[in-house]
Amino acid sequence: MIHSTIKINRWLVTLFFLTTTVCVFGDEVKDLKIPLSAANDEQRLAILQVYFNSSLESDNLDYQLKCINQVINEAHRQHRKIEEGEAMVQKMTLFYNADLNDSIYEQTPPTLELLASTQSWEKYYEAWTILVETYNFAGQTNTGLKEAQQMYDDAKQRNDKYGMGMAYYAMGNVYNNINNIEEAADSYQKSVDMLVNVEPVPIQLSDVYSYYVDVLEILKNYKKIDEVTKEWNKFLNKYFYFVKGEYTNRDSEKANRWGYYYLACAEAAIGLEDYERASQMLDEVKKCCPNEDGFLNQRWIFYRAELCKKQGFLEEALIFNDRKMRTLEYSNDKSELINVRRQRAEILEAMGRYKEAAKLYNEMYVINDSINVHDTKRQLTEMNTLLHVDELKAKQAQEQAEQQRRGIIIIATIIVLALAIFLFFRIRSARRLKVAHEKLEETHSKLEATHSKLEATHQELLTAYDQLEETTIAKERIESDLRIARDIQMSMVPSTFPDRPDLDLYASMTPAKEVGGDLYGYVLNDDKLYFALGDVSGKGVPASLFMAQATRLFRTLAAQGITPAKIATQMNDALSGEDNERGMFVTMFIGLLDLNTGHLDFCNAGHNPPVLIGDGTTEFVEMIPNAPIGLWPGMEFEGEEIADITDRPLFVYTDGLNEAENRQQEQFSDEKLLEILQTTPFQSSEKTVEMLREEVERHRDGAEPNDDLTMLCVKVTRNRQDNQDNQQTTNPNE
């Protein structure tokens, strides 16, 4: 099952920073019409700040940067470091909003240094938070967490509750972005505990509440959401009552803050099945929506559909879901695409429209796989960068050790030379004995110090060697276990195939990792050939265990002589339900081939369509879109048939073939697969499978495989021998 994750919206985080900026001189120059050339220093700085505030209403980044640079330069000229530091934070916010990450990395150190010199700690920690968020959205989550921890340690050292609260807030955002929901919730709670004790109350607390509620909804902790909204209500009333100034006069900002509060109340009410209150809260949200295209209004549409679904108003829920689907037509937010499709699938499932729901779940499965691949590549890239840094440090340490060895040789040479000189002068002149003795004592002291250092270095080297040896042993043990697991898994699929003149069958499986989630198998019972090929959701060891269950179930049920549709139905009942805690499923193509007539009876459970080769045409087989096996207990799967495929090879495969990517992330594609099978004369099933394996390797061009690759090809002919009529049941795995 694909877990719903609400990704942090970069636009909201940008709004968070912009709304914390208060114009110091706004009231002083509200109606100021003094020419810039005639203004005194204080008026000049105020006018330039007004120019910058006005520039924020446009989308011209160059103009905005020009205005804020004028403010920075003027404040610097007047030696007003506090105003200069605040303007530099505003400039970092502009960089953040425009995704200019390198500019933020360059701007952060001088900004923090200036703010620390003026003890402007609130702006200091806001600037640091921008840096953490930049690493977070750039995919450098490990670096982001390290920065957030350093930020917390810095704030804790000076007992700054605001800084510690902002550090926990930044940690929560990073954990949220990498789907570590429990840690995100814990960080947001710690941020709230810190910020509620800050005076005056900071507006950032409203944003923390908003993100905290989002992760609590993923955890389905609706009682906690209800508790948080009560605290949130007290905060909003207190803030907008006590805090004065330009910010509180912005009705749109005030409405937006209250809108997200009402939305959280609605989420809690829906989860607690208090549908009347949920409807009232959603009505309040709608009043706070500034426009139809706004993010708050889009959330309102989603939860209005969710409420209608819970109340059983399925047609109305579908209408709201349609509105939400249209807004995501050109969206790249894959997490949101999954959430809206899941909601639609649940509505269609409740309406009994199972085929449409199954199609949506298949789409969600494909989108989720692409997210996992992207996240894995992103994490590997960051880890490779960190490991490269460690390699450089190791090389530096090696060079230092080499320098120490050269120093020891030089010292030893000096010692020998000193002793020779000492003996020479002792023999030549007794008068210099005292001087030579003093030099010897001095040299002896140096030797003792050098000896102590050598002993310490020797112990350090022994410790490092022991640690390296332990690490190497642990790594070899893990690699050995994975090799054994791979051997066990490969032994579960057939490696030999029937030797009959009327049957040409061959299959192969190549896991992308040490172990994988693909499977295939066959059972030959007299003249009836059962065969199957499947792809388990997910990767690695969990997928391989689920694959083992599915493989054994297929062989057991095929031996009973039932139809492919019944095999799929009984496998679904066995693999779904409460025992399937991880929500895993498998897409499968199950076939039953009569070797006498060429009749093919099959059931496709959410799998890729196979290719039927030859007889003048090579084409994908059109099929009923059954759901994958393992999603819902109690489903009845539909079977299909082809009257005769004699002398027409049937090719079945997993998406590790058509979705194989090269270095430019270009896929192998269905079109290329069909073109190759059309233009390449069929010689045998084995040669067809091996030929396509080579084509995939050629397409990857050295890129790491992004998924398991499994293929099966079968062809039946008429020229079978009579002495095979009484052939015994064959199972290659027994």
Side-chain angles (χ1 to χ4, degrees):
M1 185 68 67
I2 305 170
H3 294 289
S4 173
T5 302
I6 302 176
K7 293 292 185 182
I8 301 173
N9 187 290
R10 187 173 183 118
W11 180 85
L12 285 178
V13 177
T14 303
L15 177 63
F16 161 75
F17 292 120
L18 287 176
T19 54
T20 61
T21 303
V22 179
C23 178
V24 177
F25 306 99
D27 293 335
E28 299 178 8
V29 296
K30 185 175 183 181
D31 299 319
L32 193 61
K33 297 182 180 179
I34 302 173
L36 192 62
S37 59
N40 59 34
D41 282 351
E42 185 172 356
Q43 292 171 338
R44 183 180 179 84
L45 188 58
I47 293 171
L48 291 175
Q49 182 70 51
V50 171
Y51 287 166
F52 168 68
N53 291 343
S54 299
S55 73
L56 295 177
E57 299 176 1
S58 71
D59 294 328
N60 190 332
L61 177 62
D62 291 337
Y63 177 61
Q64 293 170 353
L65 289 173
K66 177 181 178 181
C67 291
I68 196 59
N69 282 332
Q70 289 177 336
V71 176
I72 293 172
N73 293 335
E74 182 63 26
H76 183 75
R77 186 186 68 81
Q78 297 182 28
H79 304 290
R80 300 179 67 164
K81 293 185 177 181
I82 293 178
E83 288 80 359
E84 182 183 357
E86 292 176 350
M88 291 176 72
V89 175
Q90 292 173 320
K91 185 177 181 180
M92 286 183 62
T93 305
L94 293 179
F95 287 148
Y96 180 86
N97 192 33
D99 294 338
L100 300 176
N101 296 349
D102 291 339
S103 298
I104 292 176
Y105 301 149
E106 181 180 354
Q107 184 79 15
T108 300
T111 301
L112 294 179
E113 182 179 357
L114 178 60
L115 293 170
S117 69
T118 60
Q119 297 188 353
S120 302
W121 300 120
E122 182 175 338
K123 293 297 179 183
Y124 176 82
Y125 291 114
E126 286 178 15
W128 206 335
T129 303
I130 293 175
L131 178 63
V132 176
E133 293 299 335
T134 302
Y135 283 125
N136 187 20
F137 286 111
Q140 302 180 49
T141 50
N142 289 330
T143 306
L145 280 176
K146 289 180 180 178
E147 283 291 337
Q149 185 61 53
Q150 291 176 8
M151 177 179 169
Y152 174 81
D153 294 339
D154 182 89
K156 184 178 181 181
Q157 186 176 6
R158 58 174 54 92
N159 195 28
D160 191 310
K161 290 185 174 58
Y162 177 80
M164 288 187 283
M166 292 294 288
Y168 278 129
Y169 166 76
M171 289 180 193
N173 288 346
V174 177
Y175 284 127
N176 195 356
N177 200 29
I178 60 177
N179 295 331
N180 192 340
I181 305 304
E182 289 79 5
E183 288 291 344
D186 183 63
S187 297
Y188 288 140
Q189 180 61 62
K190 291 177 179 177
S191 178
V192 169
D193 294 340
M194 288 292 177
L195 294 179
V196 294
N197 294 314
V198 176
E199 291 294 341
V201 58
I203 188 60
Q204 290 91 334
L205 186 55
S206 179
D207 301 274
V208 180
Y209 280 130
S210 181
Y211 291 126
Y212 190 16
V213 167
D214 284 344
V215 298
L216 288 175
E217 186 183 25
I218 297 174
L219 297 172
K220 300 187 184 304
N221 193 345
Y222 300 108
K223 290 184 178 180
K224 184 62 177 179
I225 295 177
D226 189 53
E227 295 176 8
V228 171
T229 54
K230 292 175 182 177
E231 298 175 10
W232 195 352
N233 181 276
K234 294 178 182 178
F235 159 73
L236 290 175
N237 282 307
K238 179 180 179 181
Y239 182 84
F240 288 111
Y241 180 80
F242 286 105
V243 178
K244 306 297 181 182
E246 182 183 356
Y247 177 79
T248 56
N249 294 328
R250 296 179 185 174
D251 292 336
S252 61
E253 290 295 337
K254 181 177 180 180
N256 190 66
R257 300 279 180 189
W258 278 104
Y260 280 102
Y261 159 74
Y262 289 128
L263 187 67
C265 293
E267 294 174 33
I270 292 174
L272 297 174
E273 299 183 355
D274 188 352
Y275 300 139
E276 182 178 354
R277 173 172 168 77
S279 181
Q280 293 173 355
M281 292 297 99
L282 287 175
D283 289 342
E284 294 296 327
V285 174
K286 187 62 178 175
K287 295 176 184 178
C288 297
C289 293
N291 56 68
E292 291 294 323
D293 297 329
F295 187 75
L296 182 59
N297 190 67
Q298 298 304 315
R299 298 289 296 274
W300 174 83
I301 294 173
F302 178 86
Y303 285 103
R304 180 59 75 177
E306 193 70 14
L307 177 59
C308 291
K309 182 190 73 175
K310 295 287 188 180
Q311 292 176 309
F313 304 145
L314 302 179
E315 294 292 343
E316 188 176 354
L318 199 58
I319 292 173
F320 280 108
N321 183 266
D322 284 335
R323 289 176 59 184
K324 182 62 178 175
M325 289 281 283
R326 285 194 295 271
T327 65
L328 298 176
E329 184 175 357
Y330 302 104
S331 173
N332 292 324
D333 188 344
K334 294 182 179 180
S335 178
E336 187 70 5
L337 290 172
I338 290 176
N339 287 337
V340 177
R341 277 171 168 75
R342 177 185 288 108
Q343 185 186 72
R344 188 175 188 84
E346 291 172 352
I347 296 171
L348 293 173
E349 183 183 355
M351 298 173 74
R353 294 161 63 174
Y354 295 113
K355 290 183 179 179
E356 296 175 70
K359 181 179 179 182
L360 286 169
Y361 277 110
N362 281 333
E363 292 176 2
M364 290 158 50
Y365 168 61
V366 172
I367 295 173
N368 187 64
D369 260 8
S370 67
I371 293 175
N372 291 338
V373 170
H374 174 74
D375 288 346
T376 300
K377 289 181 178 179
R378 184 191 68 188
Q379 292 169 4
L380 286 175
T381 299
E382 184 175 7
M383 289 305 298
N384 285 336
T385 301
L386 294 174
L387 288 172
H388 180 64
V389 172
D390 291 340
E391 290 174 0
L392 292 177
K393 292 180 178 179
K395 290 181 179 178
Q396 292 175 354
Q398 185 176 1
E399 291 176 357
Q400 292 176 355
E402 184 65 28
Q403 291 176 355
Q404 289 179 352
R405 284 194 294 271
R406 287 197 295 266
I408 292 171
I409 294 174
I410 293 172
I411 292 173
T413 303
I414 293 173
I415 292 172
V416 172
L417 182 60
L419 288 173
I421 294 172
F422 170 75
L423 292 174
F424 175 77
F425 281 99
R426 182 181 179 89
I427 296 171
R428 291 289 304 271
S429 178
R431 292 175 299 176
R432 300 180 182 178
L433 181 60
K434 184 177 180 180
V435 175
H437 180 71
E438 292 175 353
K439 289 183 178 181
L440 182 60
E441 288 294 331
E442 180 181 355
T443 303
H444 182 68
S445 299
K446 292 180 179 179
L447 282 174
E448 287 183 344
T450 302
H451 180 70
S452 299
K453 291 180 179 179
L454 287 174
E455 283 189 347
T457 303
H458 179 67
Q459 290 300 323
E460 291 176 358
L461 289 173
L462 288 176
T463 302
Y465 178 79
D466 291 341
Q467 293 175 347
L468 178 61
E469 186 177 17
E470 292 175 1
T471 302
T472 303
I473 293 173
K475 181 180 178 182
E476 290 176 350
R477 186 183 299 114
I478 293 172
E479 291 176 349
S480 175
D481 290 345
L482 288 174
R483 284 195 297 271
I484 293 172
R486 181 188 178 95
D487 293 341
I488 293 173
Q489 183 183 21
M490 295 304 293
S491 70
M492 300 183 69
V493 297
S495 59
T496 60
F497 303 93
D499 183 13
R500 295 176 53 147
D502 58 343
L503 175 62
D504 182 4
L505 173 66
Y506 187 77
S508 75
M509 179 176 72
T510 307
K513 298 182 178 180
E514 285 79 3
V515 291
D518 282 4
L519 62 98
Y520 72 85
Y522 73 88
V523 173
L524 182 58
N525 190 356
D526 292 334
D527 294 322
K528 305 292 185 181
L529 173 67
Y530 286 89
F531 62 95
L533 184 141
D535 184 359
V536 176
S537 63
K539 304 286 188 302
V541 175
S544 69
L545 295 176
F546 198 81
M547 166 265 189
Q549 285 185 289
T551 302
R552 185 166 296 279
L553 279 172
F554 162 72
R555 292 202 302 266
T556 301
L557 295 172
Q560 297 177 9
I562 59 180
T563 66
K566 289 185 178 180
I567 290 176
T569 300
Q570 293 188 30
M571 286 183 66
N572 182 69
D573 291 339
L575 294 174
S576 60
E578 295 180 357
D579 292 337
N580 189 359
E581 296 180 355
R582 287 181 172 268
M584 301 187 72
F585 58 88
V586 57
T587 66
M588 287 190 73
F589 181 90
I590 307 173
L592 169 58
L593 182 59
D594 190 322
L595 303 185
N596 287 324
T597 65
H599 181 271
L600 175 65
D601 187 359
F602 67 91
C603 177
N604 185 355
H607 199 72
N608 302 58
V611 180
L612 196 57
I613 307 171
D615 197 19
T617 59
T618 297
E619 58 190 358
F620 289 107
V621 178
E622 295 185 2
M623 302 174 298
I624 297 173
N626 284 304
I629 294 172
L631 279 177
W632 303 297
M635 280 198 63
E636 292 291 334
F637 286 75
E638 297 184 46
E640 302 178 74
E641 61 181 351
I642 299 176
D644 189 1
I645 65 168
T646 302
D647 295 325
R648 296 196 67 186
L650 181 70
F651 180 72
V652 194
Y653 57 95
T654 61
D655 55 13
L657 172 62
N658 58 325
E659 295 182 6
E661 295 181 350
N662 58 17
R663 296 174 185 271
Q664 291 75 38
Q665 297 185 335
E666 298 169 341
Q667 293 190 347
F668 189 82
S669 78
D670 293 337
E671 292 77 10
K672 186 172 182 179
L673 170 62
L674 202 61
E675 179 186 356
I676 292 173
L677 292 176
Q678 285 175 334
T679 57
T680 305
F682 180 83
Q683 297 181 17
S684 68
S685 295
E686 180 177 0
K687 290 184 178 180
T688 298
V689 170
E690 294 302 325
M691 177 268 295
L692 283 170
R693 192 211 306 271
E694 293 175 0
E695 289 291 340
V696 169
E697 288 298 325
R698 188 177 298 110
H699 172 76
R700 286 199 187 106
D701 191 26
E704 290 293 328
N706 56 313
D707 203 351
D708 305 335
L709 173 61
T710 305
M711 298 174 282
L712 181 147
C713 187
V714 59
K715 178 183 177 183
V716 61
T717 58
R718 292 293 190 192
N719 59 339
R720 64 185 302 274
Q721 300 176 2
D722 293 337
N723 61 2
Q724 293 175 332
D725 291 338
N726 298 320
Q727 185 178 0
Q728 298 298 319
T729 300
T730 302
N731 189 330
N733 295 284
E734 298 179 352

